[in-house]
């Protein structure tokens, strides 16, 4: 894999192998539409390519991690490994996270990061692209599908909030402290490798629940645990109601929050659902 420091764009070295119908792994940096460089990792996984290196016959999963995650976190790599049984997998670090440039806007301009990753996934020859997001990433995949119609073939949102500024649980109150207070942002930077923008939203971005009605007819799966310590069950239910019968809702018994709580069984079912819906 090729790599470079944050802020440095590395030329892609991926080339199709016409004899085997496979591609090589890739690590590089992508520029977003607003000029931020994001750390990008491509794993060909189970994807099969035509002899000309185009139109992969398996989907590519573009995984959007949660707040304070990045491509090198073990829980992100575990998700990627599970989904690689079903096709290729793209992981990337949102702005302000890990080796990516910029500062986190906690779900606002992160849509541009996902858009860059989806565009690159499509450019690698994949006819079907599926976005899979967790927590903050779950809100981003919903907003991306609404704001960039026609760019993904299915959407999976796990442990996402339905609305902004929620402070109803202790973990969310701690998160708001980290985002809004100077001392909290220092904790984010040095404790979680997450650089957070000091300015608040202006204007307030489209919320996840406002985005959901715009996603149809793209297949949508909403997944949430009944032991989620961040967002209670009214959040996924609001999202499902906003889908007006278009999306599917899985309420997972005993599941906590986001990637850490998504076990191999759930990831297998997500892979199966994706192949069935986006095929």
């Amino acid at each position: 894999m090729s790599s470079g420091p944050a802020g440095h764009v590395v030329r892609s070295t991926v080339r199709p192998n016409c004899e085997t119908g496979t591609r090589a792994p890739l690590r590089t940096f992508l520029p977003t539409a607003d000029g931020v460089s994001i750390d990008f990792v491509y794993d060909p996984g189970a994807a099969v390519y035509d002899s000309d290196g185009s139109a992969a016959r398996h989907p590519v999963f573009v995984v959007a991690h949660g707040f304070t995650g990045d491509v090198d976190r073990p829980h992100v790599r575990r998700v990627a490994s599970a989904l690689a049984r079903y096709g290729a997998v793209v992981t990337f670090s949102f702005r302000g996270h890990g080796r990516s440039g910029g500062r986190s806007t906690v779900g606002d301009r992160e849509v541009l990061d996902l858009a860059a990753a989806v565009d690159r996934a499509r450019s690698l020859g994949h006819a079907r692209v599926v976005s899979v997001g967790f927590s903050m990433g779950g809100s981003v995949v919903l907003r991306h599908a609404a704001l960039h119609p026609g760019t993904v073939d299915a959407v999976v949102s796990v442990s996402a909030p339905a609305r902004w500024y929620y402070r109803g649980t202790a973990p969310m109150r701690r998160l708001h402290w980290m985002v809004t207070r100077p001392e909290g942002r220092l904790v984010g930077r040095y404790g979680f490798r997450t650089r957070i923008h000091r300015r608040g939203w202006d204007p307030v971005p489209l919320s996840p629940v406002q985005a959901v009605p715009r996603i149809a007819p793209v297949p949508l799966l909403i997944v949430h645990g009944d032991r989620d310590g961040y967002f209670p069950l009214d959040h996924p239910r609001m999202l499902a109601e906003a889908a007006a019968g278009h999306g599917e809702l899985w309420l997972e018994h005993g599941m906590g929050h986001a990637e850490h709580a998504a076990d191999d069984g759930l990831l297998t079912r997500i892979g199966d659902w994706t192949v069935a819906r986006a095929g």
Side-chain angles (χ1 to χ4, degrees), residues 84-196:
R85 298 194 297 265
Y86 295 88
V89 179
V90 161
T91 49
F92 66 96
S93 296
F94 280 120
R95 62 185 61 206
H97 290 72
R99 289 158 53 88
S100 289
R103 294 179 183 273
S104 175
T105 63
V106 199
D108 179 11
R109 299 189 71 80
E110 282 73 11
V111 168
L112 300 177
D113 306 343
L114 178 58
V118 166
D119 289 349
R120 176 58 68 91
R122 188 79 71 179
S123 76
L124 289 171
H126 292 279
R128 292 166 294 162
V129 180
V130 179
S131 57
V132 183
F134 297 83
S135 192
M136 181 187 77
S139 72
V140 173
V141 299
L142 296 175
R143 297 183 60 246
H144 170 266
L147 296 171
H148 298 263
T151 58
V152 293
D153 300 283
V155 178
V156 181
S157 177
V158 183
S159 303
R163 56 193 186 275
W164 302 137
Y165 302 113
Y166 178 72
R167 292 178 170 86
T169 58
M172 285 305 297
R173 289 190 289 273
R174 290 193 293 269
L175 186 148
H176 278 276
W177 173 82
M178 186 164 68
V179 170
T180 62
R181 300 292 296 273
E183 58 269 35
R185 292 191 291 273
L186 283 174
V187 171
R189 183 182 185 94
Y190 295 106
F192 295 95
R193 295 191 300 179
T194 302
R195 304 170 307 282
I196 304 164

Side-chain angles (χ1 to χ4, degrees), residues 159 223-228 231-233 236 250-256:
S159 303
V223 182
H224 211 92
D226 64 1
R227 294 187 180 179
D228 191 306
F231 305 114
L233 292 179
W250 293 357
L251 296 180
E252 298 294 307
H253 178 68
M255 178 184 169

